[in-house]
Amino acid sequence: VNFQEGTANLKRELESRGMLEAKAQVETLEKEREELLSKPHQQEPERAAAQERIKAIADRLNEISARSVGVSFESLCTSKKPGVAGLLQTPSLGSVVYLFLVVLVLPGVAVALTLSIVEYTGQMRLEQIQSRVQAMDERINAAVRLNEKPANPCSDGVANKLGASSALAIRLSQDTKTPYCFWEYLEPGSEDVVAKDYWGSNNLLEKREYYLGGTLLAEDLFEWGGADCFKRREFFDSQKRVSIVDCFSEAGIAHSKRYRIIGNQFIERSNSMRSGIPPMLRWFFYR
Amino acid sequence: MSHMPNAHMNCSHQERLPFSLGLLVFFTLLAAPTALVWLRSFPDSPADLVFFIMLPMLFVGVAYDTTELVLSLALQPRPLPQARLTSFPPVAVLMTVCDDVCREALKGLGSQSYPNYSVFILDDSLDEEERMLVDRAGHAVLRRARRQGHKAGNLNFWLDTYGTSYKYFVILDSDSIISEDFVERMVEYAEHPLNAGVAVFQSKVVPWNTRELFPRLLGAVAPLRMYILELVANRTGTMLSLGHNNLMRTTSAQQVGGFHEYLTAEDTVLTLMLSAIGQETKLVDVTSYEAEPRDVLRFARRTIRWAKQTVELFRLPWQRASFRLKAILCYHLYSYSVPAISLCLLLVAVFGSLQESGEPRSPPMPTSLGIQIGSIHSCLTTVAVAMYFWAIPMTLRFVLAIKTHVPIRYVLAHCLLCMSLGFCLAVHIAAGMLRTALGCKVSFAPTNGLSAKRANQQTLQAFIGCMLPAFAYCMLILLGIIRHHSPTIMSLISIALGLFSTVLVILFWFYRDTRSAENIQ
């Protein structure tokens, strides 16, 4: 036992707690012990008495230590710090609190971080898709913008005529399920369909679909009859579920943007993007 | 004493299994709702993120409560063995008094059936009238020249003066009442060789002042609490000394150098110090009595003091003490902090949704829970989730209440009372804990004493002081709700109204109890 180190540690602890009286007691005991040790005790009874007194001093120091610092005096007599293994075996009360905090908070942080990264990458991908779809929309619209409004979109000549003035080839197909037709927009020189326009009754455009490598990316649904959400653009995720719904007015101004988060639930986001209405819908676009 | 190491080793081994089982149940109950919410959510804003990360914190209390109740139903009681007494070692009955003499408690002190006992009243009273009452009781009175170290100093004074003459000592508070066979029965436990590793034998403490409504409600669930402690704390090795109405081995107390005078929670400190040398505290099947706080003020003061004392314990490392006890202390720290955490989160829920240049957006909780605006409100879902996880512990508590013959209406009333008091005192408790954490000393005044009357005047101001934040808080919530036009946030109104009503209940109680206290005086 390193007695001097023990008393030094004890005095420091007592001082930090403002227990100056106890500190003075320790100093007195320390001094008394030093005196007893320095005095040569030749005779047996004297030596035994001194030994007994030294033991009593140690007991008293132990009491002071336990009552003020909460540890035995012996444990203060070493400056050896417990290693990592020691700390794991006998963690302090403070470290147990930190341990619980870490256990409680860390998974939350980790999950939030992972979700954020997944969301960010997903968002990036979505933005790419959105701009691709918008670019495709404009490309298709450009092809028909300066042409005459077709009287019957399902007639053979209209698609060929429009296709000739467009960067995209337009192929007319008859819908097998309905009496109406659809136009397929193809990259020149390839059979890759990049978009499809579905024509409904009264020669009205009902739906436009956008494709990439055969995968449906998004579709525009048109609602006639003065609806606020004149053009509804729905984006699809990898599971072909609607992931974003954009609403545009007839003037092409965004009304709302809704994101699917879980199940069939959507959250509302602000949307500043503009997306024009296809020119073939209204006669004035052809002028 | 030769039995001690083996007995202790056996005990530790037997306790490890239920404790591990408890940990497993606890973490399962904590992880299940957290995962459920996490899987349905996405942190969309800083406020969302706060919720996302803090969610497990909110579920800790429910998980802990449920674990305790599940273990109480699953574990079988293992009462400590009792010895047939052939010899009667000397026992000292110590009653600590500090200007809080209780006549009812003094009366029964000298009528123990145990043949070899002495009564000491360790009197720290300053009031002359109180001192006279103590002197007239007819027992040995021990007074110190200087009052230092609070109750611990008082006990240490006796330990230094008479400790060597007694094998055991019983600690009683000034309001403790014990039955005639209390000492005898406690010694029967202490004398059994298989209990050699147990240093503190804690009796089951129930209240005796049940004529008034407030202490009756507070103490109504005491038998239930003791039942849980006997089954869970005893079996898992997490029993803490209650500081009074217990019997202690003198040698054990001396072995750890006596009672800690720097920290005011001398009972918990002693348990920790004893556990560091491999000795335990156990609850035994002996019933004793104490007085619960008479009114809200005294209850508030006691709760705040306990919270501060818990924080104070964290000033020392307690490296050698049992991990299980340290885990329990962490939970105590949590339980005092959780009302303040919940209130902060509710504010975040309301005002976190008003960010982005004041434009209302979906509030954090709904976004976290991924509920469509206009359909089922996510706040209500949160409440539903919480209710679901509260419904389980409440049902289990009712089962245990029936088992321990505690009326269910008392269990309900106790829960409501504690919740409303927790809300009203949340700010005050948090402030007290913070001050203690920053190094402020904890003042110690007995709960029902003379000095308590003086302290109550301060507490009265403090109580009104802590009602103001509660009101301000409710106003803030309402302001948030009014500013927020989204119907989703409107569901928070129910919570705010609940908080308002609890404040009113507390105010009513406070007024009533203050008036009745005045009438008594």
Side-chain angles (χ1 to χ4, degrees), chain A residues 23-135:
Chain A
K23 189 191 164 200
Q25 264 187 49
V26 173
E27 279 166 351
T28 315
L29 291 167
E30 192 181 13
K31 206 170 165 188
E32 189 184 347
R33 186 178 180 273
E34 271 168 26
E35 275 171 16
L36 285 167
L37 287 172
S38 61
K39 218 185 275 179
H41 302 287
Q42 301 294 334
Q43 302 296 323
E44 187 49 41
E46 260 184 37
R47 197 187 299 161
Q51 287 294 327
E52 206 166 297
R53 182 64 197 145
I54 288 169
K55 193 179 168 296
I57 289 170
D59 286 345
R60 181 68 193 133
L61 284 171
N62 204 36
E63 260 178 24
I64 293 172
S65 173
R67 289 175 188 185
S68 52
V69 189
V71 292
S72 66
F73 178 68
E74 198 183 333
S75 61
L76 290 174
C77 294
T78 173
S79 57
K80 207 173 93 183
K81 300 271 180 209
V84 178
L87 278 175
L88 286 175
Q89 273 179 349
T90 57
S92 69
L93 191 51
S95 24
V96 175
V97 174
Y98 290 129
L99 176 77
F100 279 115
L101 277 177
V102 165
V103 167
L104 290 173
V105 172
L106 209 62
V109 174
V111 172
L113 202 67
T114 313
L115 282 176
S116 300
I117 292 168
V118 170
E119 164 75 2
Y120 179 73
T121 48
Q123 193 71 33
M124 294 288 283
R125 195 181 140 270
L126 266 177
E127 276 170 20
Q128 278 177 358
I129 290 172
Q130 279 176 301
S131 43
R132 185 188 287 269
V133 165
Q134 184 55 29

Side-chain angles (χ1 to χ4, degrees), chain A residues 17 19 21 63 66-70 82 87 90-93 96-97 99-101 103-105 107-109 111-112 115-116 119 258 261-262 264-267 269, chain B residues 27 30 38 40-44 49 52-53 56-57 60 146 156 160 256-262 273 313-314 316-319 323 326-327 329-330 370-372:
Chain A
R17 287 166 171 72
M19 301 172 89
E21 202 174 313
E63 260 178 24
R67 289 175 188 185
S68 52
V69 189
L87 278 175
T90 57
S92 69
L93 191 51
V96 175
V97 174
L99 176 77
F100 279 115
L101 277 177
V103 167
L104 290 173
V105 172
V109 174
V111 172
L115 282 176
S116 300
E119 164 75 2
R258 294 170 67 204
I261 37 172
I262 290 147
N264 291 322
Q265 292 146 9
F266 286 81
I267 54 164
R269 294 257 173 91
Chain B
F27 279 111
L30 179 64
W38 277 353
R40 290 177 53 79
S41 65
F42 176 74
D44 198 32
L49 194 68
F52 200 87
I53 293 169
M57 289 278 187
V60 164
R146 289 176 57 213
N156 278 337
D160 294 342
V256 293
F259 294 86
H260 202 286
E261 295 180 18
Y262 174 65
M273 286 164 82
L313 286 169
F314 285 75
L316 297 180
W318 308 114
Q319 237 145 0
F323 174 80
K326 285 184 259 192
L329 287 176
C330 289
I371 306 298
Q372 191 176 3

Side-chain angles (χ1 to χ4, degrees), chain B residues 469-486:
Chain B
F471 270 119
Y473 176 81
C474 287
M475 290 300 158
L476 269 174
I477 293 281
L478 279 181
L479 181 75
I481 290 166
I482 291 162
R483 275 191 66 192
H484 202 299
H485 303 297
S486 161

Side-chain angles (χ1 to χ4, degrees), chain A residues 137 141 145 208 222 224 230-231 248-253 275-282 285:
Chain A
D137 187 26
N141 294 344
R145 195 175 294 278
R208 175 173 284 178
F222 303 98
W224 298 85
F230 184 81
K231 181 172 87 172
F248 300 96
S249 69
E250 228 174 311
I253 296 165
S275 179
I277 301 300
M280 59 282 271
L281 298 180
R282 295 286 186 212
F285 281 115

